[in-house]
């Protein structure tokens, strides 16, 4: 009995080893990722900023914008990479890109304290540093101090996730580490977060800007860090 062509194709597909199916699926994913990268698109799965699809932009780095950056090869980032807080990638030191929101610019007054991070006298909600990660290992912490951001310095935070690895632990970073601004195209709020101002600079919003860039209640932070 001669089987129809579509039945033969189905039989051959079912007869393929699982590793071949996985290999083909992986190759397809890599091709899609490469195509998206060439088109200037980035997919964010980290909870540091709202997950979803972003577009690389040549827009200037302004307060409220989200950025794609390479972590500098410093001891604190080496520790974060060793513990798995950061993923592997093509940045110096083998780090992957980070996606964070700019919450302070050169000339802003930033205060790092046990109660949290303040910008120009305003405390950022949910910004208190955690003492340890989920494994009980002590976390690095930016030394408590007040400072004025120098030219070329930025404060990068993760307003969508109080548990994230951000400036509370690595301090200000040089703008030279920023690769580009990223603009949200299609995102959804992580963990019930409803603040749609994240990654949308104040001068680009039609609605009145909130008094606090971290508005809205957050659950009490758990001592955990994931790849950011």
């Amino acid at each position: 009995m001669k089987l129809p062509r579509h039945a033969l194709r189905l039989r051959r597909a079912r007869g393929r080893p699982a590793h071949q199916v996985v290999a083909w699926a992986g190759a397809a994913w890599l091709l899609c990722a490469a195509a998206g990268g060439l088109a200037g698109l980035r997919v964010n799965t980290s909870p540091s900023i709202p997950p979803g699809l972003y577009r690389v932009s040549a827009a200037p780095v302004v307060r409220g914008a989200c950025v794609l950056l390479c972590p500098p090869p410093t001891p604190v980032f080496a520790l974060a990479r060793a513990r798995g807080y950061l993923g592997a990638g093509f940045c110096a030191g083998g780090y992957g890109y980070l996606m964070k929101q700019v919450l302070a610019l050169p000339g802003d007054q930033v205060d790092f304290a046990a109660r949290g991070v303040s910008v120009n006298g305003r405390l950022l909600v949910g910004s208190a540093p955690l003492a340890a990660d989920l494994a009980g290992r002590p976390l690095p912490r930016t030394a408590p101090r007040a400072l004025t951001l120098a030219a070329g310095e930025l404060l990068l935070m993760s307003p969508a996730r109080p548990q994230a690895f951000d400036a509370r632990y690595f301090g200000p970073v040089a703008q030279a580490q920023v690769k580009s601004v990223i603009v949200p195209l299609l995102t959804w709020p992580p963990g019930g977060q409803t603040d749609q101002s994240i990654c949308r600079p104040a001068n680009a919003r039609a609605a009145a800007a909130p008094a606090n860039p971290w508005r809205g209640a957050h659950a009490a932070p758990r001592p955990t860090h994931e790849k950011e």
Side-chain angles (χ1 to χ4, degrees):
M1 175 178 166
K2 187 175 181 180
L3 294 175
R5 289 184 180 179
H6 70 275
L8 289 173
R9 285 196 297 266
L10 182 59
R11 176 176 289 183
R12 289 176 188 144
R14 286 177 176 173
R16 287 174 185 159
H19 70 273
Q20 289 186 11
V21 176
V22 172
W24 278 107
W29 185 89
L30 289 174
L31 286 173
C32 291
L38 292 173
L41 302 179
R42 296 290 185 274
V43 176
N44 174 47
T45 58
S46 162
S48 290
I49 60 175
L53 184 64
Y54 290 76
R55 174 177 56 82
V56 171
S57 170
V61 175
V62 297
R63 191 188 319 276
C66 282
V67 295
L68 188 73
L69 74 146
C70 276
T74 61
V76 66
F77 282 108
L79 176 66
R81 177 72 187 94
R83 290 184 176 180
Y85 305 159
L86 307 178
F90 300 104
C91 297
Y95 305 130
Y97 288 120
L98 287 176
M99 295 181 179
K100 301 292 179 185
Q101 187 177 27
V102 179
L103 289 186
L105 299 166
D108 283 335
Q109 305 291 318
V110 177
D111 184 15
F112 294 95
R115 66 174 186 150
V117 181
S118 298
V119 176
N120 297 328
R122 181 168 292 164
L123 180 66
L124 302 178
V125 176
S127 65
L130 304 178
D133 64 13
L134 189 61
R137 298 169 296 193
L139 287 165
R141 183 182 301 183
T142 302
R145 67 188 191 277
L147 55 87
T148 301
L149 292 186
E153 284 189 326
L154 302 172
L155 181 77
L156 303 179
M157 302 290 286
S158 298
R161 185 172 174 81
Q163 302 91 352
F165 188 72
D166 56 23
R168 291 171 289 174
Y169 309 101
F170 53 72
V173 299
Q175 186 170 338
Q177 300 299 132
V178 172
K179 298 305 175 185
S180 68
V181 169
I182 50 175
V183 178
L185 296 178
L186 178 64
T187 62
W188 53 92
Q193 166 63 249
T194 58
D195 189 347
Q196 297 303 311
S197 69
I198 297 174
C199 296
R200 292 173 171 84
N203 61 3
R205 287 182 228 143
N212 192 318
W214 285 29
R215 68 179 180 181
H218 293 278
R222 296 184 296 108
T224 178
H225 282 283
E226 300 174 1
K227 290 183 180 179
E228 301 296 339

